[in-house]
Amino acid sequence: APRSTTYEIVNSLLEAEILENVGTEGYVYFGRAMHLFGWAYSHHNAHYRRIIETLDKMAAETGETVQLCGLRGNKYIVLDCRDSSGPFRISSDVGVEVPIPWTASGRLLLGHMSEEEVKDFIPPGDYKLPDGRVIAPAEFFSDIALARQQGFSETAALADRFTWCMAAPIRD
């Protein structure tokens, strides 16, 4: 778009508080209105209220970190989270995109796909873990099949060597 059009759009979004100025470099980020839209969504969407109640209950009962996860494009993302009440908290921040093979949830989230669809969906570099180890695609496909069969997924020492993760789908 022409620069003048971009400035016009950004200025309109600033006036509506959908964006706000950040710092002195002319950067913009989500503004107060976006916060209010998100708050309204989380407080008035019946399904989301049930999700929040469930996250709170699971975290209280287990004392562990509980996350609601989903897909954004071909990445895993934490949509909401309740941290562990214990001294150790291992989690991803809400909104951070993570390669799907790094996660227990990813094995469930791809359970509806064929092996060929998964091959096309996952970028080759996403099989490389933060410590340099590489997950063999065949092992990942096998994990997806097992998760599909079991109805849940477990992983140990993937993205962090001190973590054990369990993922279970929301069915109703």
Side-chain angles (χ1 to χ4, degrees):
R3 180 175 266 186
S4 61
T5 303
T6 302
Y7 279 114
E8 186 177 316
I9 292 168
V10 168
N11 284 330
S12 294
L13 294 173
L14 286 166
E15 286 177 31
E17 295 186 324
I18 292 173
L19 296 177
E20 65 183 40
N21 288 308
V22 178
T24 59
E25 302 293 320
Y27 294 108
V28 294
Y29 197 71
F30 296 123
R32 182 187 326 239
M34 293 301 292
H35 168 77
L36 295 173
F37 291 142
W39 183 90
Y41 177 82
S42 69
H43 285 75
H44 299 290
N45 179 295
H47 294 298
Y48 196 74
R49 279 198 316 270
R50 288 180 58 207
I51 289 167
I52 298 301
E53 291 167 7
T54 302
L55 290 175
D56 290 340
K57 183 179 175 182
M58 288 175 69
E61 287 178 5
T62 65
E64 299 296 339
T65 298
V66 179
Q67 298 176 328
L68 173 66
C69 306
L71 296 176
R72 179 185 287 162
N74 63 359
K75 299 292 185 231
Y76 154 99
I77 189 169
V78 175
L79 300 168
D80 209 326
C81 178
R82 296 297 177 272
D83 283 331
S84 164
S85 58
F88 301 105
R89 294 182 185 95
I90 301 172
S91 69
S92 295
D93 290 331
V94 171
V96 174
E97 294 179 354
V98 175
I100 294 168
W102 297 11
T103 69
S105 296
R107 285 150 175 75
L108 284 175
L109 291 167
L110 302 185
H112 66 287
M113 298 174 124
S114 70
E115 189 173 307
E116 197 60 40
E117 289 172 318
V118 174
K119 283 179 187 175
D120 293 340
F121 189 65
I122 303 291
D126 283 5
Y127 292 101
K128 186 174 183 179
L129 296 167
D131 65 3
R133 290 178 296 144
V134 176
I135 299 169
E139 179 184 332
F140 183 62
F141 305 145
S142 177
D143 288 349
I144 292 170
L146 180 61
R148 187 183 309 116
Q149 176 190 3
Q150 294 179 150
F152 66 92
S153 178
E154 298 176 86
T155 61
L158 280 180
D160 181 296
R161 64 187 182 121
F162 298 106
T163 61
W164 174 83
C165 298
M166 179 182 184
I170 298 171
R171 296 275 187 219
D172 60 20

